[in-house]
Amino acid sequence: MDAGDHPRPARRRQPAASEEVWDLQAPQIPQQVGGGTDEAVDSVLRSGISLPVAAAAKWRPLSERAVTSLADVLDGSRLARVMATMAVGLPRAPAHRPVTLPGTAHLIDALAEALTSPDLVAAPAELAGVDTYAVPQPRDLHLVTARPLGSVLDTAALTAIRGAGTSHGAHLLADPARDLADPAQRWTQVLQGIEQIALDSGMTGAERLLQHLPAPPPGPGR
C-alpha cells in the first residue's frame, strides 16, 4: 500500500460564517433568590462585541484602567441617558408598562451607537491585546421577554396576524454591508429590526408606523 492509500485524518468541520453568527448565547430572564422568574423584569436585550484574544493577553490580569474606562464610556453614553429616560416615573413596585416601538428603536440605536464608539472600542481592544481595527461591529441582537412579546411592547397601533401565535423574543442579525457607526445606516438597520420584532410578535403595521419616525441626533461615529 503506497502513501496515497493511507487514510487521511479526519478534518474538523469549520462552521460557516453564518453559523458562527447564530451560535450566540441568548440572555436569560433573571431569577428570584428563592427561585422562579423575577416578576419585575419584563425583558432583556443583549448585543455586544465578540473578538479574539491575543496570546499574550490570555496570561495577564485584566487592566483595571481599561475596565474603568469601559465603564466610564458606558456611563457617559447616550445609551445610559436613554435608559434613564425610560425609567423616569416608574414606581418602586413592579409595573408592567408596555414599551413603545419608537422607544425600543431609540434604545437599540443607542446600544449600537455605544458599541461602535471609538472610546468604547478602545477598551476591549486593550483588554484583548488587539488593535482597534480587529474589533468587529455588533452584528446580532437578542431580545428575550418574560411574557408574550406582544404584551411587553405597545402594539395597540398594530394589527394581529391571525394564527401567528405568540413569541417571547427575537434574534436579529444586522446586514454585514452596513456600517453601524454611520448614523443613517444604523437607523435603517434599527427600523428593519423593529419591523422583524413586531412580526415575530404576530403583528403587522410596524413599517407604516415607523416610516416617518425621525432618527435621533447622531453621536460620535467610529
Side-chain angles (χ1 to χ4, degrees):
M1 183 169 64
D2 59 28
D5 295 325
H6 284 291
R8 296 180 179 179
R11 296 180 60 185
R12 183 177 179 182
R13 177 179 174 272
Q14 296 297 321
S18 59
E19 293 178 346
E20 293 176 349
V21 172
W22 282 102
D23 186 21
L24 297 165
Q25 182 180 1
Q28 301 294 322
I29 299 294
Q31 300 292 303
Q32 296 180 0
V33 176
T37 301
D38 188 343
E39 296 295 333
V41 179
D42 285 332
S43 62
V44 180
L45 187 68
R46 171 181 286 175
S47 185
I49 297 173
S50 178
L51 70 163
V53 178
K58 294 180 180 179
W59 305 104
R60 69 188 185 203
L62 294 178
S63 166
E64 294 181 2
R65 180 181 54 79
V67 172
T68 301
S69 174
L70 179 61
D72 289 343
V73 171
L74 287 173
D75 287 342
S77 68
R78 184 166 64 92
L79 175 62
R81 296 193 295 273
V82 169
M83 293 179 65
T85 300
M86 295 178 71
V88 169
L90 287 179
R92 292 188 178 182
H96 300 294
R97 181 180 64 180
V99 181
T100 66
L101 294 185
T104 304
H106 282 258
L107 175 62
I108 295 175
D109 183 80
L111 175 61
E113 178 184 282
L115 294 177
T116 54
S117 163
D119 291 336
L120 185 140
V121 168
E126 180 179 350
L127 291 170
V130 298
D131 192 274
T132 55
Y133 288 103
V135 181
Q137 295 189 7
R139 292 300 179 189
D140 70 288
L141 183 73
H142 280 285
L143 172 64
V144 174
T145 59
R147 296 173 289 116
L149 211 162
S151 64
V152 173
L153 299 180
D154 183 359
T155 58
L158 304 182
T159 303
I161 302 173
R162 181 179 299 179
T166 59
S167 172
H168 283 261
H171 182 184
L172 309 176
L173 296 181
D175 183 347
R178 288 200 177 102
D179 180 6
L180 298 184
D182 178 87
Q185 295 187 48
R186 182 175 64 243
W187 187 241
T188 298
Q189 183 63 64
V190 168
L191 294 183
Q192 290 185 349
I194 296 296
E195 294 170 18
Q196 186 61 56
I197 289 173
L199 290 172
D200 284 355
S201 69
M203 299 284 180
T204 61
E207 181 178 4
R208 169 185 50 80
L209 180 66
L210 299 174
Q211 62 180 341
H212 298 303
L213 180 66
R222 184 173 176 180

